[in-house]
Amino acid sequence: MPVISVPYAFNEEELYVDLESIFGHSLFLKCEGFNFAGSIKLKAATEMVETAERDGVLTPDSILVESSSGNLGVALSMIAASKGYRFLCVTDSRCNLSTRLMMEALGSQVHIVAGQEANGGFLGARIDYIRALCASDDRYVWLSQYTNPGNWRAHYRKTAPEIAHQFPGLDVLFVGAGTTGTLMGCARYFRKWHRPVRIVALDSVGSVAFGGAPGRRMIPGLGMSIRPPLLDESYVDEVIRVEEADTIRTCHSLARHGFLFGGSTGTVVSGAMGWLAEHDARELTAVAIAPDLGDRYLDTIYQANWLQDLYGDEVLNSDEVSAGSWAASPAPRTRSGGRP
């Protein structure tokens, strides 16, 4: 049995759920929510903090500061508490209440930006606040998950090799795109692998990460209001954009079968199932990454009043919340660079 002395030393690496019995297509969902931070962000947080320590950027007097919609903030809160650092998470109103309370319970300070920058949305406002803070006091250390190579390196070193070990015959990998750390780390690893793997990125409608018009996005996790600095589209074979209503329906379909996952997972699974439905996937080995679980979304995507206020009464139509609901309205798809 594992015995640990620090909370970031444990992460479940080998748990997968085969979704064929729910959606009719075999898709192995890598569950990354079983660690003390509750999400895949633990890997990037650990890599970035430990690199900053080795480089002498972090000292005992440092105050960590980071912009996060939730999960990275929790991971950094946990690591900061374990290592004795102070941590300030800069977020916005879309951050789930339970996530904010969790960061505060771990001893972190949470600042919620009040407005949006004209060109950068909430993210622009968060980054502007952090830059002003760092300029005012040199004790603040901003890891900058949006530009830090440790973000993608964590998944190059850990997530992708874990998948390769379990699925040596992997054909297609579905990865959600936020900062694109997970996407870029996995894509770089499998570009050098012994067999070609198709890399499919899942993004939210309204995100400008891969181009397109900006739009309202209320579910934190995936999507960006700016082009991700870490993104190199030459590593991506295809991009699928998913409507938030389809994300919600997929989450509820999974929950009806006993699997409570977060919004990012709903987006990834919705897009992946649409892709598999349009391809001859019977002989394909397909894997998708589930970044977190659904307990932090109980007051949002699993709360009826929140859903009705934002998406209307029909978002959870009983005919749509059923196995295979994605087939009636597949997610929009666009090809983006990569191999043909």
Side-chain angles (χ1 to χ4, degrees), residues 91-335:
T91 187
D92 58 63
S93 59
R94 296 170 301 172
C95 181
N96 298 322
L97 174 61
S98 60
T99 300
R100 299 202 301 265
L101 293 175
M102 188 174 299
M103 287 188 280
E104 291 171 346
L106 289 165
S108 298
Q109 181 182 354
V110 180
H111 176 82
I112 303 171
V113 296
Q116 301 184 47
E117 289 292 322
N119 296 322
F122 283 114
L123 177 57
R126 280 154 42 182
I127 290 176
D128 284 348
Y129 181 86
I130 290 176
R131 285 175 173 158
L133 199 65
C134 292
S136 70
D137 190 334
D138 59 10
R139 292 178 301 167
Y140 284 101
V141 174
W142 180 25
L143 296 174
S144 184
Q145 63 165 322
Y146 311 107
T147 59
N148 194 320
N151 189 346
W152 67 260
R153 192 184 303 119
H155 304 289
Y156 183 92
R157 294 176 56 238
K158 294 182 179 180
T159 307
E162 290 163 5
I163 295 170
H165 176 73
Q166 294 294 328
F167 298 95
L170 180 67
D171 295 301
V172 57
L173 178 65
F174 299 95
V175 188
T179 64
T180 68
T182 307
L183 175 65
M184 287 293 95
C186 290
R188 281 187 167 93
Y189 180 90
F190 284 111
R191 176 64 64 88
K192 298 179 180 179
W193 208 36
H194 69 93
R195 57 179 285 137
V197 175
R198 189 164 190 83
I199 302 296
V200 181
L202 289 306
D203 195 13
S204 301
V205 170
S207 164
V208 303
F210 294 90
R216 185 189 75 164
R217 293 180 293 112
M218 299 305 298
I219 301 174
L222 300 187
M224 291 278 280
S225 55
I226 62 173
R227 179 179 172 83
L230 296 177
L231 175 62
D232 183 343
E233 290 188 58
S234 68
Y235 287 93
V236 180
D237 295 299
E238 195 167 348
V239 178
I240 300 176
R241 294 179 173 87
V242 179
E243 295 279 359
E244 287 194 332
D246 292 323
T247 292
I248 291 163
R249 293 176 187 125
T250 301
C251 284
H252 281 257
S253 292
L254 287 163
R256 294 297 181 270
H257 290 81
F259 294 107
L260 196 71
F261 284 107
S264 298
T265 300
T267 300
V268 171
V269 173
S270 176
M273 286 299 167
W275 189 95
L276 292 169
E278 294 182 5
H279 293 74
D280 185 4
R282 289 171 295 179
E283 303 300 323
L284 293 180
T285 298
V287 171
I289 297 174
D292 61 4
L293 301 178
D295 53 323
R296 296 175 190 171
Y297 302 81
L298 295 178
D299 57 348
T300 54
I301 61 177
Y302 294 106
Q303 213 282 328
N305 290 337
W306 187 87
L307 292 176
Q308 290 170 355
D309 288 345
L310 291 175
Y311 303 97
D313 294 334
E314 298 303 313
V315 69
L316 291 183
N317 182 287
S318 59
D319 293 333
E320 294 171 325
V321 185
S322 60
S325 62
W326 44 265
S329 54
R333 297 191 296 115
T334 60
R335 297 186 183 277

